[in-house]
């Protein structure tokens, strides 16, 4: 190698700025390990890979510490080579599975972290490692579906905060001079432990406050939504409905009431048996990430036979998609002005029926299959939904509101006829319908009147007597039972709507579930299984209605649909707190938190409303909020500015100069003498010396705390100078007394 | 307050929020919130660290330029919370009025410097004590209401009277994500005397020495032998001078007084008008003038000549009769540059203070605007030695505007006036001793002595 190039190479590879702090290395190592564990806990990659990475990272940290003072050229070359291999692997995976780049990205970061750990000689390398561990943790966070990730985040904080502290010590030491002598103390380990614990608590608490206040802007979402890896399925002979909770489910309602399995909802089947009685356990079934809360619709039923609802008797059509997504069409539905888009991703937790859940009217579906089925009851999966399945849906949703009250058009069209059909009903049911339906009103008003009647005359209850044989379920609910659960209310509402000339159908699915403000997911449990009604309004389309008392359609402005989740967060915190409190306190705590949450919601809603209608109002509010810190800063700055006057330093300095000059003339002040005494003595020593006004100025500045103005300071100095000249002259002329 | 690390955390948080919005990943919002929280807490911690602190500085009140000054900083905490990783930065006395905020940043090293450090040619260059400029010290822990003290040596001090230069407190908190600094005024007075050379000769003074040239190891010419009279006793008077007869008669101690031998008076006129030049040039050139003056005063004063120092302050001439050499050093330490364009006018004011029979040593700053008018207006003197300080040589690139005669000295015809004794040129880096002992041009009647 030529001399110059060799010299350059030597310089380039020379180890420099080596980090010697072992605690810093250990803390960074711990942070990296926690981030790897976080990734492993989210099951992003296999456990064996994570364990391998943990071992390699630990080895790498030890190795780079041992060899930190060496050039390590061969190691650097090997690292570069393996990094290229990892990059090639990443690109290959992206090419093979372009839908969700997070998994290959996670693996790439994982390997880069492992390789980087073998070359960490300097502080900046370690800091880079710390930063990349934050990125790994964030990647794990993007996969996290439960609030338990909080523990991992806390563990990471516990490792990263000391790392930052040790980095800071190391940096400051390198930048500071070493005093010749010093009397300083070092904090004890116990003290630092307490400080770090306090910091973790404070940072977490403030972080929660900030997280709750960060506006969740709904911006453009990713073009490809997440879904599980594609499963290869060849088209079967046709759709066969399956529900793992009801393995021997007949295609038609049996003669006797269906025996309810408490671990599966009986409504996810080709029929909805209104004779079934029983309660469901509260086990998680899925988590839904949605741009706003909604009901997760499963199956729509068309025909009522007196004791159960049946899906339309039709063969589901297979929908094929070689490339994702599936584009779902609803040819008979007309375009609606009130439609708005809801993007949802479903993370299935338990085994479910072969029903593809989606908010109201799905239009785009990312589903891990080459084909799905579609009929008038909804979308069907070619296989039962199982734990770990992920799919995404973009739906068009219509939120019912008062604006539909003015739509004064009766529904027409052949495709609606099945939804207007009613079987032969007992006369008292027809009489009741005649009584409660306001015939002169618009369809929406008629439906509202029926809903109001049901809500005001019937109670929601899961404890209802069995339906006697031969009885009509609707008649029994309206006139005998007096209370019922969602299927009964939905049946009554749908049939009464049909009697009022409004096309209606009963729908089963899941209610919204509990919103988790940490994961931004709706945690849906089996107990959220629900039945509701869709009515058809001409010019609008199918509109979701909730006739069951104690249930209400989700507010699109709450939960994931709101700009701020502070209210939901407070509500969630209240629920968590009340769950650990004695039962006597629970309701009070829940109510208190609920009130605070409503207050927060109202505040943010008002803000949002004023943004829309009077933009100047929140701006004024913001201005007033900012005004206080601005005023504080301005006042602080003005305090910092030197005053127009001169402080006592000038007076002291003038006096010191005067005394120094006198000293040089042989007139010294005794240490015990005050300024006043000395000047008095000076007046006796040199006749004609008058320094009383200067003395007053000096004493006012020195002891009175009254700073001198510039002209006063000048006058003081001039007075002293004049006195000095006079003393000097007097001394030369020998006119001093006694001196 | 915030700096690159804060900005990085902020950008990372915003990136997480944007990805969170785009991918609907709730945890990304919370992780971003944790990062923002850490940033905010770090901001508050660093703010808390630098508030409610007091500092006292202890050192000798007087020191020479060439000496190292031992400074002890006593830091006291008045807050209710402990402080960690607090940096105390003692500023340079000359930065007293500087309002710059404290910054702690490693000096960027070139690749060559780094390599040299690796090879051990240059030791790791931390802010060593004594280095000119700010000196940072780390206090790892300062308990609530506790105190700490740090002692270090500062060298490279420049002439001047410093009235309480500030100390800075700097903190990046425990986490180092944000920083704050505070400035604390520290009342301490320091007089830095100008450095002076002990001359073995100074031609101007030597030319008017008493024929019985005195050895220079005498501190003063001492008390003469001629009886002058009696006076009252003053503390310090030797008992052997007590006039016992008069004492007995008057009832109080009376001593005999003898005439002092008085040499020829010397006036040192120092030009401190630098109006149009930058602070740095002025400071260094005036320091050199003060050193030249101190060297001359030292020689002349201990040779027994009454010395007067003349300069101007606040546009007025100031005359200082040197009582002791230390007083002269103190006076020179307080010499400050004067502002204003009317330089020649001010010199006329200074000339009025000159006594006709005095010997004059004129230390004149050559600011590149000519000095012919200034020297021409000098009143008639017995002897004048002109020392020209080349101000331009003190500027950044070291260029000089002053044309020094090389080799051959000017002829006798060029002597501006009869009393003009010699001319010396002084520029940055020149040896003061050589400059004063061997003037560049010496007018010796009609025989100028060139260098």
């Amino acid at each position: 190698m030529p001399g110059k190039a060799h010299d350059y190479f030597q310089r380039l590879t020379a180890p420099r700025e080596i980090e010697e702090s072992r605690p810093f290395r250990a803390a960074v190592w711990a942070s990296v390990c926690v981030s790897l564990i976080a990734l492993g806990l989210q099951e992003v990659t296999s456990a064996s890979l994570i364990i391998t990475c943990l071992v390699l990272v630990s080895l790498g940290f030890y190795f780079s510490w041992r060899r930190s003072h060496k050039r390590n050229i061969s190691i650097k070359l090997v690292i570069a080579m393996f990094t290229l291999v990892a990059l090639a692997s990443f690109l290959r995976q992206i090419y093979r599975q372009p839908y969700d780049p997070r998994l290959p990205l996670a693996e790439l970061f994982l390997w880069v972290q492992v390789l980087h750990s073998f070359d960490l000689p300097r502080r900046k390398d370690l800091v880079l490692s710390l930063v990349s561990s934050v990125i790994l943790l964030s990647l794990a966070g993007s996969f996290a579906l439960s609030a338990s990730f909080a523990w991992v985040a806390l563990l990471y904080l516990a490792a990263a905060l000391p790392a930052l502290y040790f980095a800071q010590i190391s940096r400051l030491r390198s930048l500071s001079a070493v005093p010749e002598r010093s009397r300083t103390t070092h904090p004890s380990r116990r003290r630092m432990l307490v400080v770090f614990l306090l910091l973790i608590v404070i940072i977490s608490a403030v972080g929660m406050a900030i997280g709750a206040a960060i506006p969740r802007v709904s911006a453009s979402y990713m073009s490809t939504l997440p879904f599980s890896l594609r499963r290869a399925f060849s088209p079967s002979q046709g759709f066969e409905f399956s529900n793992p909770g009801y393995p021997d489910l007949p295609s038609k309602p049996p003669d006797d009431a269906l025996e309810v399995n408490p671990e599966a909802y009986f409504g996810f089947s080709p029929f909805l048996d209104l004779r079934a009685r029983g309660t469901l356990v509260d086990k998680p079934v899925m988590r839904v990430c949605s741009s706003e809360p909604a009901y997760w619709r499963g199956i729509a039923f068309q025909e009522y036979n007196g004791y159960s609802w049946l899906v339309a008797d039709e063969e589901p059509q297979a929908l094929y998609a070689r490339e994702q997504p599936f584009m779902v069409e609803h040819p008979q539905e007309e375009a609606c002005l009130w439609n708005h888009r809801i993007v949802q991703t479903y993370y299935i937790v338990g085994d479910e029926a072969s029903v593809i859940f989606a908010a109201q009217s799905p239009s785009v579906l990312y589903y891990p299959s080459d084909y799905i089925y579609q009929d008038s009851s909804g979308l069907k999966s070619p296989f039962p939904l199982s734990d770990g399945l992920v799919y995404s849906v973009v739906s068009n949703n219509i939120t019912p509101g008062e604006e539909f009250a003015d739509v004064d058009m009766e529904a027409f069209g052949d495709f609606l006829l099945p939804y207007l059909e009613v079987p032969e009903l007992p006369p008292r049911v027809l009489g009741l319908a005649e009584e409660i339906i306001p015939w002169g009103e618009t369809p929406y008003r008629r439906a509202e009147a029926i809903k109001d009647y049901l809500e005001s005359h019937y109670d929601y209850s899961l404890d209802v007597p069995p339906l006697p044989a031969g009885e009509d379920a609707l008649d029994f609910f309206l006139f005998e039972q007096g209370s019922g659960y969602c299927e009964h209310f939905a049946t009554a509402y749908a049939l009464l709507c049909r009697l009022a000339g409004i096309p209606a159908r009963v729908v089963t699915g899941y209610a919204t579930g509990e919103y988790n403000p940490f994961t931004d997911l709706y945690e849906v449990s089996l107990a959220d299984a629900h039945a509701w009604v869709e009515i058809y309004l001409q010019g609008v389309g199918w509109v979701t209605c909730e006739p069951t008392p104690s249930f209400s359609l989700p507010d699109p402005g709450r939960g994931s649909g709101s700009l701020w989740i502070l209210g939901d967060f407070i509500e969630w915190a209240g629920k968590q707190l009340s769950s650990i409190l004695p039962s006597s306190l629970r309701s009070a705590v829940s109510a208190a938190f609920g009130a605070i949450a409503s207050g927060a919601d109202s505040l943010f809603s008002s803000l949002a409303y004023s943004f829309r209608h009077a933009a100047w109002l929140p701006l004024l509010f913001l201005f007033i909020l900012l005004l206080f810190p601005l005023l504080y800063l301005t006042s602080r700055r003005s305090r910092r500015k030197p005053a127009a006057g001169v402080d006592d330093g000038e007076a002291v300095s003038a006096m010191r100069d005067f005394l120094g000059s006198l000293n040089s003339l042989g007139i010294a002040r005794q240490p015990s003498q005050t300024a006043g005494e000395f000047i008095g003595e000076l007046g006796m020593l040199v006749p004609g010396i008058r320094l009383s006004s200067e003395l007053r100025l000096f004493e006012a500045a020195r002891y009175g705390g009254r700073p001198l103005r510039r002209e006063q300071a000048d006058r003081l100095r001039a007075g002293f100078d004049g006195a000095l000249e006079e003393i000097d002259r007097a001394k030369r002329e020998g006119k001093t007394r006694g001196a | 307050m915030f700096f690159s690390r804060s900005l990085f955390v902020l950008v990372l948080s915003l990136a997480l929020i944007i990805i969170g919005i785009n991918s609907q990943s709730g945890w990304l919002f919370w992780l971003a919130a944790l990062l923002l929280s850490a940033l905010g807490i770090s901001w508050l911690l660093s703010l808390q660290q630098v508030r409610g602190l007091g500092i006292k500085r202890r050192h000798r009140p007087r020191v020479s330029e060439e000496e190292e000054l031992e400074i002890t900083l006593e830091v006291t905490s008045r807050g209710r919370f402990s402080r960690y990783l607090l940096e105390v930065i003692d500023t340079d006395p000359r930065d007293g009025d500087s309002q710059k905020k404290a910054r702690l940043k490693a000096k960027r090293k070139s690749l060559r410097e780094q390599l040299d450090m690796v090879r051990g040619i240059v030791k790791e260059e931390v802010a060593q004590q004594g280095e000119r400029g700010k000196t940072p010290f780390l206090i790892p822990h300062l308990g609530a209401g506790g105190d700490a003290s740090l002692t270090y040596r500062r060298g490279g001090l420049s002439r001047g009277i410093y009235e309480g230069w500030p100390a800075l407190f700097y903190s990046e908190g425990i986490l180092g994500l944000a920083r704050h600094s505070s400035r604390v005024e520290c009342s301490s007075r320091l007089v830095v005397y100008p450095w002076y050379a002990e001359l073995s000769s100074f031609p101007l003074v030597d030319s008017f020495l008493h024929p019985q040239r005195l050895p220079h190891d005498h501190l003063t010419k001492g008390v003469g032998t001629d009886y002058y009279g009696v006076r009252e006793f003053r503390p310090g008077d030797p008992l052997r001078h007590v006039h016992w007869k008069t004492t007995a008669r008057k009832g109080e101690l009376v001593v005999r007084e003898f005439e002092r031998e008085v040499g020829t008076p010397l006036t040192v006129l120092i030009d401190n008008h630098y109006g149009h030049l930058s602070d740095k040039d002025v400071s260094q050139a005036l320091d050199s003038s003060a050193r030249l003056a101190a060297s001359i005063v030292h020689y002349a004063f201990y040779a027994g000549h009454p010395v007067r120092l003349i300069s101007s302050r606040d546009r007025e001439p100031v005359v200082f009769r040197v009582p002791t050499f230390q007083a002269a050093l103190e006076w020179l330490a307080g010499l400050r540059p004067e502002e204003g364009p009317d330089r020649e006018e001010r010199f006329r004011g200074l000339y009025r203070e000159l006594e006709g029979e005095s010997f004059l040593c004129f230390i004149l700053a050559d600011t590149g605007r000519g000095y012919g008018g200034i020297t021409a207006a000098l009143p008639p003197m017995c002897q004048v030695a002109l020392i020209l300080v080349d101000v331009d040589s003190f500027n950044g690139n070291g260029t000089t505007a002053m044309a020094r005669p090389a080799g051959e000295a000017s002829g006798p015809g060029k002597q501006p006036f009869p009393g003009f004794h010699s001319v010396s040129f002084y520029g940055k880096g020149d040896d003061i001793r050589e400059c004063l002992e061997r003037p560049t041009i010496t007018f010796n009647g009609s025989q100028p002595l060139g260098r």
Side-chain angles (χ1 to χ4, degrees), chain B residues 27 41 133 162 170 193 229 276-277 297 328 352 369 423 438:
Chain B
W27 266 110
I41 299 294
Y162 304 105
Y170 176 86
Y193 294 153
H276 65 286
L277 295 173
V297 171
R352 281 196 284 275
R369 294 195 169 189
V423 179
R438 298 186 62 200

Side-chain angles (χ1 to χ4, degrees), chain A residues 25 177 319 367 586 622:
Chain A
R25 276 182 191 276
L319 282 181
Y367 197 77
R586 274 181 202 168
L622 196 69

Side-chain angles (χ1 to χ4, degrees), chain A residues 11 15-16 138 146 165 168 171 176-178 180-181 183 191 203 207 217 220-221 517-518 636 656 738, chain B residues 5 21-22 26-28 30 37 51 70 82 87 104 112 114-115 127 129 136 149 151 172 174 189 232:
Chain A
R11 276 188 226 169
R16 50 185 184 267
S138 306
S146 75
Y165 172 71
Q168 192 61 3
R171 178 174 170 272
S176 302
V178 183
E180 207 165 78
R181 294 187 301 280
R183 185 169 48 77
R191 175 178 279 273
I203 289 175
V217 185
S220 60
Y221 295 106
F518 285 104
R636 206 175 68 160
R656 192 183 288 128
Chain B
R5 266 171 279 162
I21 288 171
N22 212 17
W27 266 110
L28 292 188
W30 294 99
S37 166
R51 302 281 156 174
E70 187 178 274
S82 292
E87 283 283 343
L104 208 60
R112 180 169 287 282
Q114 289 183 30
L115 181 68
Q129 55 269 54
S149 80
T151 304
E172 293 178 0
I174 293 180
R189 188 173 193 266
E232 78 286 6

Side-chain angles (χ1 to χ4, degrees), chain B residues 325-343:
Chain B
F325 179 58
Q326 198 177 11
L329 286 177
E330 185 137 357
W331 191 87
L332 287 169
L335 199 61
R336 289 177 191 168
E338 287 283 289
E339 292 176 359
D342 49 344
R343 195 164 177 235

Side-chain angles (χ1 to χ4, degrees), chain B residues 331-437:
Chain B
W331 191 87
L332 287 169
L335 199 61
R336 289 177 191 168
E338 287 283 289
E339 292 176 359
D342 49 344
R343 195 164 177 235
E344 291 187 13
E345 180 60 36
R346 290 198 195 175
F347 274 107
R348 277 194 282 277
L350 286 176
Y351 293 160
R352 281 196 284 275
E353 298 295 328
L354 298 176
E355 293 166 358
E357 69 281 9
S358 172
F359 280 62
L360 175 66
C361 183
F362 191 2
I363 302 171
L364 180 64
D366 180 8
T367 57
R369 294 195 169 189
Y371 48 87
I374 295 166
T375 51
L378 272 169
M381 293 285 158
C382 294
Q383 293 286 324
V384 176
L386 180 65
I387 300 164
L388 283 168
V389 177
D390 183 5
V391 179
D392 283 341
S393 70
F394 291 93
N395 67 17
N397 53 21
T399 55
T400 176
M402 194 160 70
R404 301 184 190 200
E408 287 299 314
S410 309
K414 290 183 182 176
Q415 191 177 17
F417 51 87
F420 209 160
H421 177 270
S422 61
V423 179
S424 301
F425 293 93
Y426 182 80
K428 187 180 181 183
D430 287 353
D431 182 4
I432 284 183
R433 190 176 283 113
E434 193 173 336
C435 167
L436 296 176
E437 288 176 357

Side-chain angles (χ1 to χ4, degrees), chain B residues 133-385:
Chain B
K134 293 169 182 168
T135 317
F137 297 102
L138 177 66
I139 299 180
H141 173 232
L142 187 61
D147 58 0
S149 80
L150 303 152
T151 304
Y152 76 103
R153 286 180 177 277
R154 178 181 281 279
L157 291 162
S158 289
R159 175 199 65 87
I161 298 177
Y162 304 105
E163 299 280 357
W165 63 98
L168 304 170
F169 289 110
Y170 176 86
S171 171
E172 293 178 0
I174 293 180
L175 308 177
L177 301 179
R179 66 182 173 198
H180 273 96
S181 63
S182 68
R183 185 186 170 86
V184 183
E185 294 305 325
C186 203
S187 59
S188 60
R189 188 173 193 266
L190 175 68
V191 180
V192 181
Y193 294 153
W195 176 85
Y196 61 91
E198 292 188 10
L199 305 177
S200 57
S201 68
F202 182 54
L204 176 72
V205 174
D206 293 345
S207 69
F208 58 74
L209 263 180
H210 194 274
Q212 288 86 38
R213 185 175 171 145
L214 289 161
H216 284 123
D217 53 357
H218 281 210
L219 281 176
T220 64
K221 289 183 81 175
V223 178
T225 52
D226 296 339
Y227 177 70
Y228 176 72
V230 291
R231 60 166 173 79
E232 78 286 6
F233 176 83
R234 287 183 206 154
D237 284 340
L239 279 177
R240 62 190 171 88
H241 287 176
V242 174
H243 196 283
W244 294 109
K245 282 183 182 174
T246 316
T247 301
R249 191 170 62 243
K250 291 183 82 173
E252 61 180 9
L253 276 173
V254 174
V255 292
R256 282 170 293 179
E257 202 172 24
F258 300 90
E259 277 189 339
R260 293 175 72 94
E261 289 178 30
V262 178
T264 315
L266 170 73
T267 301
V268 181
L269 176 58
I270 305 159
D271 171 18
N272 61 341
H273 297 97
Y274 291 83
H276 65 286
L277 295 173
S278 71
D279 284 350
K280 196 180 169 190
D281 302 339
V282 167
S283 164
Q284 291 191 7
L286 193 59
D287 287 351
S288 295
S289 297
R291 285 177 203 137
L292 287 164
S295 306
I296 295 164
V297 171
H298 178 259
Y299 184 82
F301 184 79
Y302 288 122
H305 300 280
V307 181
R308 292 196 317 157
L309 289 161
I310 300 180
S311 186
S312 59
R313 186 196 289 173
D314 300 335
R315 304 185 175 209
E316 292 296 326
V318 183
V319 182
F320 182 71
R321 291 172 194 282
V322 176
T324 59
F325 179 58
Q326 198 177 11
L329 286 177
E330 185 137 357
W331 191 87
L332 287 169
L335 199 61
R336 289 177 191 168
E338 287 283 289
E339 292 176 359
D342 49 344
R343 195 164 177 235
E344 291 187 13
E345 180 60 36
R346 290 198 195 175
F347 274 107
R348 277 194 282 277
L350 286 176
Y351 293 160
R352 281 196 284 275
E353 298 295 328
L354 298 176
E355 293 166 358
E357 69 281 9
S358 172
F359 280 62
L360 175 66
C361 183
F362 191 2
I363 302 171
L364 180 64
D366 180 8
T367 57
R369 294 195 169 189
Y371 48 87
I374 295 166
T375 51
L378 272 169
M381 293 285 158
C382 294
Q383 293 286 324
V384 176

Side-chain angles (χ1 to χ4, degrees), chain A residues 60-361:
Chain A
F61 267 79
Y62 178 75
F63 181 83
S64 60
W65 170 61
R66 294 292 296 178
R67 293 183 59 88
S68 56
H69 289 273
K70 297 195 165 48
R71 286 181 185 273
N72 298 324
I73 295 166
S74 53
I75 296 294
K76 286 180 203 293
L77 284 173
V78 170
I79 288 172
M81 201 175 70
F82 275 104
T83 308
L84 287 175
V85 171
L87 186 67
S89 164
F90 166 71
L91 293 174
R92 192 169 59 90
Q93 286 187 59
I94 286 285
Y95 176 74
R96 288 176 66 180
Q97 210 282 83
Y99 301 110
D100 189 358
R102 287 184 302 169
L103 284 173
L105 199 63
E107 277 193 20
L108 177 69
F109 269 114
L110 212 61
W111 283 115
V112 168
Q113 185 70 273
V114 168
L115 292 169
H116 187 229
S117 67
F118 281 87
D119 186 29
L120 302 169
R122 294 176 296 175
R123 190 185 315 125
K124 61 173 75 168
D125 295 320
L126 287 163
V127 170
L128 193 68
S129 213
L130 193 65
V131 170
S132 72
S133 75
V134 174
I135 294 169
L136 269 184
L137 186 80
S138 306
L139 208 55
S142 76
F143 287 103
L145 299 177
S146 75
S148 61
F149 186 75
W151 297 111
V152 182
L154 283 178
L155 198 64
Y156 182 81
L157 264 186
L161 292 184
L164 286 174
Y165 172 71
F166 291 126
Q168 192 61 3
I169 286 188
S170 171
R171 178 174 170 272
L172 292 178
R173 276 195 181 143
S174 71
L175 291 174
S176 302
V178 183
E180 207 165 78
R181 294 187 301 280
S182 67
R183 185 169 48 77
T184 54
T185 53
H186 287 264
S188 65
R189 284 184 186 175
R190 182 181 287 181
R191 175 178 279 273
M192 286 320 294
L193 192 69
V194 172
V195 167
F196 284 129
L197 283 176
L198 267 176
L199 271 179
I200 290 170
V201 171
I202 294 170
I203 289 175
S204 309
V206 175
M208 281 209 271
I210 295 174
I214 290 176
R216 310 292 168 105
V217 185
S218 60
S220 60
Y221 295 106
M222 288 189 293
S223 57
T224 305
L225 294 162
F227 62 98
S228 309
L229 289 176
R230 181 178 291 208
R231 299 179 186 184
F233 278 97
S234 55
S236 61
Q237 297 301 315
F239 177 69
E240 276 185 33
F241 199 94
S242 66
N243 186 339
Y246 297 90
D248 305 321
L249 196 70
S251 57
K252 297 286 178 192
D255 293 339
D256 297 325
L258 188 74
E259 194 179 336
V260 171
N261 176 3
E263 296 203 344
Y265 181 46
F266 58 88
F268 301 140
S269 73
F271 59 91
L272 177 65
D273 195 341
L274 297 172
R275 300 164 298 176
R277 297 289 186 267
T279 52
L280 301 173
V281 294
D282 192 12
K283 69 165 188 178
V285 288
M286 60 186 180
R287 294 190 178 96
V288 186
C289 175
S290 173
S291 55
E292 67 176 54
Y295 277 176
W296 321 121
R297 184 182 187 274
I299 299 174
F301 297 92
Q302 180 181 308
E303 189 187 339
Y304 174 70
N305 65 2
Y307 56 88
S308 61
W309 284 91
L310 303 168
V311 294
D313 189 14
E314 59 184 316
E315 190 62 33
Q317 298 294 311
L319 282 181
Y320 293 94
R322 284 192 182 279
E323 295 293 333
Q324 296 286 334
F326 292 93
M327 305 306 291
V328 184
E329 289 176 359
H330 306 274
Q332 290 168 331
E333 289 181 17
E334 50 194 312
C336 176
L337 285 177
W338 288 278
N339 263 343
H340 65 276
R341 207 175 70 146
I342 301 182
V343 183
Q344 318 124 67
T345 300
Y346 293 81
Y347 300 91
I348 305 299
V349 177
D351 291 338
E352 276 291 335
S354 50
V355 176
I356 298 175
F357 297 96
Q360 205 176 15
S361 179

Side-chain angles (χ1 to χ4, degrees), chain A residues 534-582:
Chain A
E534 286 175 357
I535 60 169
Y536 192 85
L537 298 178
Q538 193 65 42
V540 178
W542 289 104
V543 177
T544 305
C545 294
E546 178 53 87
T548 312
S550 81
F551 278 78
S552 57
L553 286 176
D555 179 0
R558 290 294 304 269
S560 56
S562 87
L563 190 58
W564 282 287
I565 59 155
L566 186 62
D568 297 276
F569 178 72
I570 294 169
E571 207 172 316
W572 178 86
K575 275 182 193 168
Q576 302 303 314
L577 187 66
S578 59
S579 68
I580 56 167
L581 289 175

